[in-house]
């Protein structure tokens, strides 16, 4: 009597996406994405993502340089639930195990977000946790991570830093939070990194310049990896003299510190 053997488990690949999502222009993928990452993305047939439409658009770009193993229509793409997008999945509460059924059948699965590295300043950590719980191999692939690019370009402390997500949209709460982050940065030397929905870039910058102390260093990095990328880093008093501005369309990383 023979017994069927279980298929070997698949691997969960964390596949970075280019940082030009939602931008007016796009850069060629080979300028920001390693060939090895694109080659893995091209062969994967099973995906977990934020949005299936934008994932197909990304893989269509991949196909132009690294032909896909199957057609776009044959790809098996599953979306994270809408509530995960709104609230995030980094603190638990969402069981992503069903999304990895294909991996338990021996298929490799790709996890991708709209831009940058999935599960870093984006949803996806629940999928990674589920993969570990299921005994799957987890492999992060090389690609652009906006937070680290911005930190490196800021001149701020890269030995001690924290990403704190979004600051409040309400002006009063935003001012309170900025003061808390500044106090922490000046007291400990820890760089504070945060982001904002692009259409609130101008409001956040104005709030920072109005709230921060004159000798606090403020840095912004916009449109990273694009030809139009720009990083400004200086003391708040010099920011006001320079008159630097941000638009309300380009993804931006903000940082403050000594």
């Amino acid at each position: 009597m023979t017994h069927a053997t279980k298929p070997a488990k698949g691997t969960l690949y964390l596949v970075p996406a280019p940082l030009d999502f939602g931008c007016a222009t796009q850069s060629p993928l080979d300028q920001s994405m390693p060939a090895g990452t694109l080659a893995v993305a091209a062969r994967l047939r099973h995906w977990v993502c934020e949005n299936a439409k934008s994932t197909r658009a990304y893989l269509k770009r991949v196909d132009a340089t690294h032909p896909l193993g199957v057609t776009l229509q044959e790809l098996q793409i599953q979306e994270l639930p809408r509530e995960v997008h709104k609230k995030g999945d980094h603190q638990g509460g969402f069981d992503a195990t069903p999304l990895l059924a294909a991996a338990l059948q021996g298929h490799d699965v790709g996890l991708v977000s709209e831009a940058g590295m999935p599960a870093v300043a984006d949803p996806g950590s629940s999928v990674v946790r589920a993969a570990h719980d299921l005994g799957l191999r987890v492999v992060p692939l090389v690609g652009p991570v906006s937070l680290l690019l911005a930190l490196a370009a800021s001149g701020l402390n890269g030995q001690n830093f924290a990403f704190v997500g979004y600051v409040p949209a309400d002006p009063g709460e935003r001012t309170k939070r900025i003061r808390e982050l500044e106090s922490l940065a000046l007291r400990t030397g820890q760089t504070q990194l945060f982001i904002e929905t692009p259409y609130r870039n101008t409001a956040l910058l104005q709030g920072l310049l109005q709230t921060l102390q004159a000798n606090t260093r403020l840095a912004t990095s916009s449109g990273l990896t694009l030809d139009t990328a720009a990083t400004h880093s200086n003391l708040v008093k010099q920011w006001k003299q320079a008159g630097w501005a941000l638009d309300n369309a380009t993804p931006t990383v903000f940082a403050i510190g000594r």
Side-chain angles (χ1 to χ4, degrees):
M1 183 176 181
T2 60
H3 297 278
T5 58
K6 284 187 176 182
K9 294 178 181 178
T11 295
L12 176 66
Y13 287 97
L14 312 186
V15 183
L19 300 179
D20 53 21
F21 175 75
C23 295
T25 60
Q26 293 181 327
S27 297
L29 283 186
D30 58 7
Q31 290 187 11
S32 61
M33 302 290 296
T37 294
L38 296 176
V40 173
R43 71 170 177 78
L44 294 175
R45 302 185 181 201
H46 298 267
W47 291 87
V48 179
C49 67
E50 291 183 68
N51 181 279
K53 182 178 179 180
S54 58
T55 297
R56 288 192 180 93
Y58 170 32
L59 293 174
K60 184 177 181 180
R61 293 172 68 185
V62 172
D63 186 52
T65 58
H66 292 71
L68 301 183
V70 297
T71 65
L72 287 171
Q73 292 72 27
E74 292 175 296
L75 294 173
Q76 302 297 309
I77 300 177
Q78 300 180 88
E79 293 182 339
L80 288 163
R82 186 172 180 81
E83 59 266 24
V84 169
H85 298 183
K86 289 183 176 181
K87 300 178 181 179
D89 59 349
H90 50 285
Q91 294 184 344
F94 171 66
D95 180 11
T97 302
L99 297 175
L100 294 171
L104 295 178
Q105 296 300 315
H107 302 286
D108 291 339
V109 176
L111 173 65
V112 66
S113 66
E114 301 287 64
M117 179 65 75
V120 178
D122 263 326
S125 57
S126 62
V127 182
V128 179
R129 286 194 301 273
H132 287 300
D133 291 344
L134 292 170
L136 303 179
R137 181 173 175 238
V138 176
V139 177
L141 299 179
V142 178
V145 181
S146 61
L147 301 178
L148 294 182
L149 293 173
L151 177 63
S154 71
L156 290 163
N157 188 352
Q159 306 302 314
N160 183 8
F161 56 91
F163 171 61
V164 298
Y166 291 84
V167 296
D170 175 78
E173 291 297 315
R174 182 174 60 216
T175 296
K176 179 182 177 182
R177 182 60 171 151
I178 290 171
R179 286 177 176 154
E180 291 174 349
L181 295 175
E182 180 183 40
S183 175
L184 179 60
L186 297 182
R187 186 176 74 253
T188 66
Q190 183 183 72
T191 300
Q192 304 297 306
L193 295 156
F194 44 98
I195 55 177
E196 183 52 282
T197 303
Y199 67 80
R200 286 200 286 259
N201 280 344
T202 300
L204 177 53
L205 178 60
Q206 183 179 7
L208 289 165
L209 294 178
Q210 290 175 345
T211 306
L212 295 171
Q213 299 177 32
N215 288 318
T216 294
R217 180 170 287 271
L218 167 65
T220 65
S221 285
S222 301
L224 288 163
T225 72
L226 297 176
D227 291 338
T228 55
T231 294
H232 298 299
S233 178
N234 223 318
L235 303 183
V236 168
K237 60 185 179 184
Q238 293 168 323
W239 265 85
K240 293 177 179 178
Q241 293 172 358
W244 290 324
L246 297 174
D247 65 54
N248 278 338
T250 308
T252 300
V253 179
F254 298 80
I256 59 174
R258 293 176 179 171

